[in-house]
Amino acid sequence: MSSSTFAKKTKIAAILAAAICFAPAQLHADMATLASWNDGPAKTAITEFVEKVTKEGGPDYVAPDERIAVFDNDGTLWAEQPMYVQLAFALDRVKALSNQHPEWKDKQPFKAVLENDIQALANSGEKGLMELLMATHAGMSTEDFEKIATDWIETARHPKTGKPYTEMVYQPMLELLTYLRDNGFKTFIVSGGGIEFMRPWTEGIYGIPPEQVVGSSIKTKYEVKDGKPTLMRLPEIDLVDDKAGKPVGINSHIGHRPIAAFGNSDGDFQMLEWTTTGNGARFGLLVHHDDAEREWAYDRKSHFGKLDKGLDEGPKRGWIINSMKSDWKCIFPYACEQAAADK
Amino acid sequence: MSSSTFAKKTKIAAILAAAICFAPAQLHADMATLASWNDGPAKTAITEFVEKVTKEGGPDYVAPDERIAVFDNDGTLWAEQPMYVQLAFALDRVKALSNQHPEWKDKQPFKAVLENDIQALANSGEKGLMELLMATHAGMSTEDFEKIATDWIETARHPKTGKPYTEMVYQPMLELLTYLRDNGFKTFIVSGGGIEFMRPWTEGIYGIPPEQVVGSSIKTKYEVKDGKPTLMRLPEIDLVDDKAGKPVGINSHIGHRPIAAFGNSDGDFQMLEWTTTGNGARFGLLVHHDDAEREWAYDRKSHFGKLDKGLDEGPKRGWIINSMKSDWKCIFPYACEQAAADK
């Protein structure tokens, strides 16, 4: 091969290499990747926002380091009805541990759980809930808890659909996470749920690694037991990552103010407020559960995922109210697959 | 072009593309990137560890997701003599704020600071230090504090060298951070220093973004003041990220057990212990300050960065004691540049 031919081929190869190196991002950044989103105001708002913050030289350009997007989990990335998944976990754990605790038969709120007495459980209020959480989430090492949570999530099934909880995630949101990451965003979960309950499975399901999960937490203590270093989970609240606790958790764990926030309930109000009142282009979206047929319909009066203030004030603040019914073509991955197969 | 020629060219282009895509990592992974490290036991231990955990199919292979490396900051990445940089910041802040606090003239430990009375300051002990920290680090918004810290670090100078503190970093450690990242590691700071004191400059100096900085913290509170959302810094300790607090901070912020840890004092003992007692290949290194000529020489009796237990027990645990004198060709970037220019 003559040297000029070689030079030419090398140049072609370099161009092709560049094209191939960048191809995945370009392909995914296409609107087509939001395949389960109907053309409509929510999808348009998302893609317009992403296009403007990624347009180099444009007035709204945001450098990749600052492209931080935060997502609530329960009701935003996966279903939270008929109850929070973590509460189902706690109730199952009470049942599993009950033979080590004969006293629970006569002691509320444990008695209510063992007798499936929902009314008595509700009557035990926040104090009762906290007792359940501490009895099931504390008193073991972080490694033991991780194993307990992992084993449970692999075998537990949603009471209505019979599917694993990890299949009760929203396909349009999975596509959105990928779309944002393909556009240089770093995606975080910021959930009222327990940080160590979520971390074992967020990477596999959402592509979000443990270090990008922010959640409620209890304190831990480092100690060396029989020569083995251990982090013990203490029955003491560290952070309640909900409402005004969400900006606190974001600041502690992320250290940037996000430019985009996605939630579904009034527990996410302050997270969206903190995100969207920063300088420059900002984005807030609330998933509105208005699809009783394909998921659940609830908002102002719901026990889990109450959306009241967000519906009233969100639109005035420029937040997108995302209708599950009209903005999403399909909801759960298995339903989206079925719809595709039926075509 | 015939289709078979096209296919062949496409294949060649793909191979070249793959080679070019991966070239940067391969080039940097070369030993030559640890240019300021002398050939010797520390450098050999580092490169052997990195080679074995990145060797796909090898017995010690670690997937990139789990390649977490944690670094102490004071005395490990930058100089901590004659005092912690953050303490210098606190003392400067007391002086800057003193005309708003006429009462400090007669009140310890503030009086000691204003009179440069080191002995009285030392006598005020941990309680005095905490008072200084709270008076200078709390009571403002996170955004105001970020500006204060950023302004200070840009103008403050090291009392011995007259250099900006951000130039008092260790060139061999900068190379090590790059080398690890080029080999798929995610690098974190885990420091006893304040998380919000470090975050404004860690990305520029070390290439470590805010979300990968773990440090001591005070509590914050979210509130909306005159319609403006704010995170206020409260005079209340959240986490002391030192000694047994380091594994706690690692678990809270990172959620993985690291596979490599780098420190320099007994405040890092538990971090190295937690890291190196996990399953599979692990690595621990303690920077030993034994170079009075080019930096400082101190260990067992030092006020800042005392290294006692680490020197006794570290080698038994397989930790590398890194001699600044013999393992590093040069220490500060300006000295390394000068040495290169002199050649």
Side-chain angles (χ1 to χ4, degrees), chain A residues 128-162:
Chain A
L129 184 65
M130 202 53 72
E131 277 184 76
L132 287 182
L133 286 177
M134 291 309 171
T136 53
H137 286 67
M140 70 291 280
S141 73
T142 53
E143 286 173 345
D144 286 346
F145 183 76
E146 180 181 341
K147 186 173 179 337
I148 292 166
T150 305
D151 288 349
W152 182 83
I153 203 105
E154 281 172 4
T155 55
R157 294 293 178 268
H158 190 277
K160 184 180 161 190
T161 64

Side-chain angles (χ1 to χ4, degrees), chain A residues 13 16 21 65 143 186 196 199 203 211-212 222 224 229 244 247 251-257 270 273 277, chain B residues 13 16 21 65 143 186 196 199 203 211-212 222 224 229 244 247 251-257 270 273 277:
Chain A
L16 283 167
C21 290
D65 283 347
E143 286 173 345
K186 206 162 177 177
E196 301 212 46
R199 280 174 163 167
E203 180 136 33
E211 63 271 25
Q212 286 165 227
Y222 181 77
V224 181
N251 184 62
S252 167
H253 285 260
I254 310 179
H256 311 248
R257 195 157 170 173
Q270 288 88 344
E273 180 177 65
T277 51
Chain B
L16 283 167
C21 290
D65 283 348
E143 286 172 347
K186 207 161 175 177
E196 301 211 48
R199 279 174 163 167
E203 181 136 32
E211 63 270 25
Q212 287 166 224
Y222 181 76
V224 181
N251 184 62
S252 167
H253 286 260
I254 311 179
H256 311 246
R257 194 156 171 174
Q270 288 87 344
E273 180 177 64
T277 50

Side-chain angles (χ1 to χ4, degrees), chain B residues 93-294:
Chain B
R93 289 301 297 160
V94 167
K95 289 170 186 170
L97 293 168
S98 62
N99 50 14
Q100 293 167 240
H101 292 275
E103 76 279 10
W104 284 355
K105 278 206 315 273
D106 305 305
K107 192 183 168 193
Q108 293 296 12
F110 304 98
K111 184 170 186 283
V113 177
L114 298 175
E115 294 173 355
N116 295 313
D117 182 346
I118 300 298
Q119 190 53 51
L121 184 59
N123 291 347
S124 75
E126 202 166 309
K127 185 172 164 290
L129 184 65
M130 201 54 70
E131 278 184 77
L132 287 182
L133 286 177
M134 291 307 171
T136 53
H137 286 66
M140 71 291 280
S141 73
T142 53
E143 286 172 347
D144 286 346
F145 183 76
E146 181 180 343
K147 187 173 178 336
I148 292 166
T150 305
D151 289 349
W152 183 83
I153 203 105
E154 281 171 4
T155 55
R157 295 293 179 267
H158 189 277
K160 184 178 160 191
T161 64
K163 302 275 182 191
Y165 285 105
T166 48
E167 292 183 21
M168 300 295 292
V169 295
Y170 306 139
Q171 175 66 25
M173 297 306 272
L174 299 182
E175 295 166 8
L176 177 57
L177 286 166
T178 303
Y179 171 68
L180 289 173
R181 289 193 292 258
D182 285 345
N183 280 283
F185 279 75
K186 207 161 175 177
T187 53
F188 289 79
I189 286 177
V190 177
S191 168
I195 190 167
E196 301 211 48
F197 176 72
M198 297 183 282
R199 279 174 163 167
W201 47 267
T202 53
E203 181 136 32
I205 311 301
Y206 304 134
I208 296 179
E211 63 270 25
Q212 287 166 224
V213 177
V214 183
S216 295
S217 56
I218 58 178
K219 298 201 174 185
T220 62
K221 187 184 178 192
Y222 181 76
E223 52 192 32
V224 181
K225 274 188 167 175
D226 306 323
K228 190 180 175 242
T230 301
L231 280 166
M232 285 300 292
R233 291 171 60 79
L234 308 180
E236 196 183 338
I237 292 288
D238 184 37
L239 172 70
V240 178
D241 192 47
D242 195 33
K243 299 190 177 76
K246 290 207 174 193
V248 169
I250 287 169
N251 184 62
S252 167
H253 286 260
I254 311 179
H256 311 246
R257 194 156 171 174
I259 65 166
F262 302 84
N264 79 299
S265 80
D266 286 345
D268 303 315
F269 191 90
Q270 288 87 344
M271 175 169 85
L272 266 76
E273 180 177 64
W274 176 240
T275 299
T276 58
T277 50
N279 295 328
R282 302 283 163 154
F283 190 82
L285 180 146
L286 289 169
V287 174
H288 186 202
H289 294 264
D290 58 357
D291 192 335
E293 198 183 317
R294 299 186 302 175

